[in-house]
Amino acid sequence: MGAFLFSQAINIRVGAKVDMHIIIGLHTVADIYCGDCGELLGWKYERAYEASQKYKEGKFILEKAKITKENW
């Protein structure tokens, strides 16, 4: 899976916040959905608990497969 980290995203809907333990530490994240069709696109980092991960707070992860189209 490839993904992109963005500082801003438009035309999205943010879901409920949940705490997740992932390899890089504890984060509070929220799923993000397309504002038009409602498809899950990725997630938003609401809070990072590890000092080295604080740069992600407020940023969006959009999955490459959900936002790109190959072989047009």
Side-chain angles (χ1 to χ4, degrees):
M1 174 194 86
F4 302 103
L5 180 67
F6 290 95
S7 296
Q8 299 178 23
I10 60 170
N11 198 26
I12 59 158
R13 183 174 50 84
V14 180
K17 297 177 187 177
V18 294
D19 287 335
M20 293 189 66
H21 291 276
I22 52 180
I23 294 172
I24 52 179
L26 177 63
H27 290 76
T28 302
V29 300
D31 286 340
I32 55 174
Y33 303 89
C34 175
D36 289 330
C37 70
E39 183 171 354
L40 178 64
L41 300 175
W43 62 93
K44 179 181 181 186
Y45 284 107
E46 296 287 352
R47 183 172 180 197
Y49 294 86
E50 300 289 329
S52 66
Q53 300 298 307
K54 290 283 188 185
Y55 74 96
K56 294 179 182 174
E57 288 183 341
K59 298 208 168 65
F60 303 86
I61 293 285
L62 297 174
E63 295 180 27
K64 181 180 177 182
K66 302 284 186 161
I67 62 168
T68 61
K69 198 171 206 174
E70 295 185 22
N71 300 322
W72 282 46

